[in-house]
């Protein structure tokens, strides 16, 4: 790092010397072409030094931040999955693979987040340590730094786009199949007497005093399902778990018992006595939403259903959001020399929360049919692109208003 900075300052000194000679242009529009010799070669070599320096400064905190976020996410998910395994619903051998799939799904959020705050941190440090002042003295504007950030963010946005368009639906599909197989494989042998069992993809919790494995039935069974504003309880002498096919919801057949529906917000409780009662443990709306996330992106692109259009636009817009957030981080990182970075990060957090909240609102509007495929969610991208333009141009507008 010190070698890179030393090399950069040598190049900056070279730039300042060349500024005194108007016959040699500092930049040109064909800076992407690298000739074998001449002033253009020097321009591109110096430009490459700046790009490498910016890339190197951004990627280190980005990888560190992304790694920490992954550790936190995996730790939390592992605790949830281990709780499910203790109930006998999901085997430990499946846990690691499911954690991998869930991590792949969440990478479309973790990568843009880590990139965004990394750019804010790096640009803020360049301002605080007067490196931006030195660059400006050498003729390197913030727009030139913005270009370096753009190319790095473009690479990350492509990776995020591939994850969102291809990796995420594949991961959801594999997760769905694993959980469906777990439901099929789940049987009475996996229920422990005197223990609570929580069923996957449902809010049902089952308790049994004893298990008659030879007869295939549960003795003295209690089932609870908590819903908003109410709670359902079932108490029966015995229960059985009929076999299910792949893709079907798990059900439990109760015999000789009582069912209670408790009104948690009032006094409208209901009691039912039954001889036989079948309860399906699946949640249809949750399952449909879950399956929608596993539909291939090419299939969603041809759909005319509002919910599937919203899912498609949400996937495609993720890469654009990654690129926009990284570019927004450049003007948000501005600060005076030796100024604290707390203010920058506070504003950056507000922008980050506002960006994704606005995107979620747009996706929900499309999902509910309140907004059509056009403008869909794209108006959010346009709004933040205009905000980016204003933030980048603001110092130049201020300079024109106050030339002194």
């Amino acid at each position: 790092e010190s070698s890179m900075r030393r090399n950069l300052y040598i190049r900056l000194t070279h730039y300042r010397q060349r500024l005194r000679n108007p016959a040699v242009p500092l930049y040109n529009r064909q800076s992407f072409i690298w000739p074998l010799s001449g002033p253009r070669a020097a321009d591109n070599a110096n430009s490459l030094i700046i790009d490498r320096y910016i890339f190197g400064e951004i990627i280190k905190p980005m990888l560190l931040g992304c790694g920490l976020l992954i550790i936190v996410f995996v730790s939390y998910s592992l605790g949830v999955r281990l709780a499910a395994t203790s109930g006998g619903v999901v085997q430990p051998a499946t846990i690691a693979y499911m954690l991998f799939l869930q991590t792949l799904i969440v990478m479309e959020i973790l990568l843009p987040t880590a990139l965004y705050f990394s750019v804010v941190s790096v640009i803020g440090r360049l301002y605080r340590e007067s490196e931006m002042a030195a660059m400006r003295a050498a003729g390197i504007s913030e727009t030139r730094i913005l270009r370096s950030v753009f190319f790095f963010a473009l690479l990350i946005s492509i990776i995020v786009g591939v994850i969102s368009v291809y990796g995420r639906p594949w991961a959801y599909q594999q997760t769905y199949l694993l959980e469906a197989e777990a439901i099929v494989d789940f049987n009475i042998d996996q229920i422990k007497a005197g223990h609570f069992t929580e069923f996957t993809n449902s809010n049902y919790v089952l308790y049994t005093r004893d298990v008659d494995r030879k007869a295939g039935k549960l003795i003295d069974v209690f089932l609870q399902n908590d819903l908003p504003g109410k709670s359902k309880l079932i108490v029966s002498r015995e229960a059985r778990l009929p076999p299910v096919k792949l893709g079907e919801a798990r059900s439990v057949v109760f015999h000789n018992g009582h069912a209670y529906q408790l009104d948690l917000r009032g006094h409208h409780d209901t009691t039912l006595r039954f001889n036989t009662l079948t309860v399906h443990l699946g949640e249809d709306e949750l399952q449909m939403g879950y399956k929608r996330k596993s539909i291939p992106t090419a299939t969603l692109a041809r759909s005319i259903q509002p919910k599937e259009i919203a899912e498609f636009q949400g996937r495609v817009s993720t890469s654009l959001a990654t690129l926009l957030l990284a570019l927004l981080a450049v003007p948000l990182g501005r600060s005076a020399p030796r100024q604290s970075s707390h203010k920058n990060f506070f504003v950056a957090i507000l922008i980050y929360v506002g960006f994704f909240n606005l995107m979620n609102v747009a996706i929900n509007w499309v999902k509910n049919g309140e907004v059509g495929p056009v403008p869909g969610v794209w108006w959010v991208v346009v709004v933040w692109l205009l905000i980016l333009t204003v933030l980048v141009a603001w110092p130049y507008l201020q300079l024109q208003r106050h030339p002194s």
Side-chain angles (χ1 to χ4, degrees):
E1 179 180 352
S2 59
S3 175
M4 180 70 74
R5 289 187 181 180
R6 191 162 50 249
N7 198 358
L8 176 64
Y9 282 120
I10 292 174
R11 294 289 184 176
L12 290 177
T13 304
H14 175 65
Y15 271 125
R16 298 187 67 178
Q17 294 174 353
R18 293 178 61 213
L19 282 173
R20 299 168 185 170
N21 183 6
V24 181
L26 182 63
Y27 291 110
N28 54 72
R29 295 182 179 180
Q30 299 179 351
S31 59
F32 293 103
I33 304 174
W34 194 312
L36 295 178
S37 61
R40 188 178 298 171
D43 274 339
N44 285 277
N46 293 327
S47 180
L48 181 63
I49 289 291
I50 297 172
D51 289 337
R52 287 177 57 193
Y53 177 68
I54 297 298
F55 293 174
E57 290 295 303
I58 293 176
I59 196 169
K60 287 180 287 187
M62 188 195 78
L63 292 179
L64 178 61
C66 189
L68 291 175
L69 291 174
I70 290 175
I71 291 174
V72 172
F73 174 78
V74 170
S75 300
Y76 171 78
S77 300
L78 181 61
V80 174
R81 291 297 176 180
L82 287 178
T85 305
S86 64
V89 178
V90 182
Q91 295 299 322
T94 313
I95 297 295
Y97 189 44
M98 296 188 77
L99 286 177
F100 164 74
L101 295 174
Q102 289 183 337
T103 304
L104 179 61
I105 292 171
V106 81
M107 285 301 292
E108 68 170 358
I109 298 298
L110 299 187
L111 273 176
T113 302
L115 173 63
Y116 173 69
F117 287 105
S118 175
V119 175
V120 172
S121 174
V122 169
I123 298 300
R125 185 190 61 77
L126 292 179
Y127 273 98
R128 289 192 306 274
E129 297 182 4
S130 301
E131 292 189 35
M132 283 298 298
M135 291 183 183
R136 283 203 188 99
I140 303 173
S141 65
E142 185 182 82
T143 307
R144 177 61 186 83
I145 303 300
L146 190 69
R147 195 188 81 169
S148 297
V149 173
F150 171 81
F151 287 118
F152 183 79
L154 182 63
L155 174 62
I156 302 300
S157 66
I158 292 174
I159 297 174
V160 172
V162 171
I163 294 174
S164 182
V165 173
Y166 299 103
R168 181 171 174 265
W170 173 82
Y172 268 114
Q173 185 180 36
Q174 295 301 311
T175 304
Y176 172 75
L177 289 175
L178 285 174
E179 293 183 346
E181 290 173 357
I183 293 175
V184 173
D185 295 337
F186 181 74
N187 54 54
I188 198 171
D189 294 331
Q190 294 174 278
I191 296 180
K192 299 178 182 179
H195 288 75
F196 288 94
T197 301
E198 183 176 357
F199 292 92
T200 306
N201 284 342
S202 71
N203 294 324
Y204 288 92
V205 177
L206 181 140
Y207 176 87
T208 180
R209 182 182 61 83
D210 194 12
V211 180
D212 188 345
R213 305 191 189 280
K214 292 183 179 180
K217 62 182 181 180
L218 309 175
I219 309 299
D220 294 336
V221 187
F222 168 83
L223 183 73
Q224 179 176 353
N225 179 27
D226 290 327
L227 299 173
K230 61 183 177 180
S231 180
K232 295 181 179 180
L233 306 174
I234 297 175
V235 181
S236 68
R237 292 291 301 170
E238 62 180 50
R240 298 177 183 272
L241 274 69
V244 296
K245 297 180 181 179
L246 187 64
E248 293 181 348
R250 164 62 61 191
S251 62
V252 181
V253 180
F254 297 91
H255 302 282
N256 301 324
H258 293 81
Y260 306 93
Q261 181 170 298
L262 306 180
D263 185 3
L264 304 180
R265 299 173 181 172
H267 304 284
H268 302 288
D269 299 336
T270 304
T271 302
L272 172 68
R273 179 183 175 86
F274 61 85
N275 291 325
T276 302
L277 177 65
T278 302
V279 177
H280 297 281
L281 305 181
E283 297 182 2
D284 295 338
E285 184 63 28
L286 177 62
Q287 292 294 329
M288 291 302 297
Y290 194 51
K291 290 179 180 179
R292 191 181 305 114
K293 294 178 181 179
S294 66
I295 297 177
T297 304
T299 304
L300 291 177
R302 298 189 296 267
S303 177
I304 59 174
Q305 299 297 323
K307 293 183 178 180
E308 295 183 356
I309 293 174
E311 177 69 23
F312 170 74
Q313 293 189 358
R315 294 182 190 178
V316 176
S317 62
T318 305
S319 58
L320 294 176
T322 303
L323 186 59
L324 264 177
L325 276 174
L327 296 179
L328 281 168
V330 175
L332 291 175
R334 295 179 187 137
S335 63
R338 295 179 296 279
Q339 186 181 28
S340 174
S341 61
H342 296 147
K343 180 181 177 181
N344 297 63
F345 273 97
F346 179 74
V347 175
I349 291 172
L350 292 180
I351 295 293
Y352 176 85
V353 173
F355 187 99
F356 280 105
N357 281 344
L358 196 59
M359 184 65 73
N360 288 333
V361 168
I363 291 175
N364 287 330
W365 283 353
V366 176
K367 185 184 298 183
N368 297 330
E370 300 175 12
V371 176
V374 179
V377 303
W378 311 119
W379 64 270
V380 179
V381 177
V382 174
V383 167
W384 285 104
L385 189 59
L386 292 175
I387 294 175
L388 171 65
T389 304
V390 172
L391 290 175
V392 171
W394 186 255
Y396 303 98
L397 296 176
Q398 291 291 99
L399 186 61
Q400 290 180 357
R401 291 177 58 185
H402 306 284
S404 57

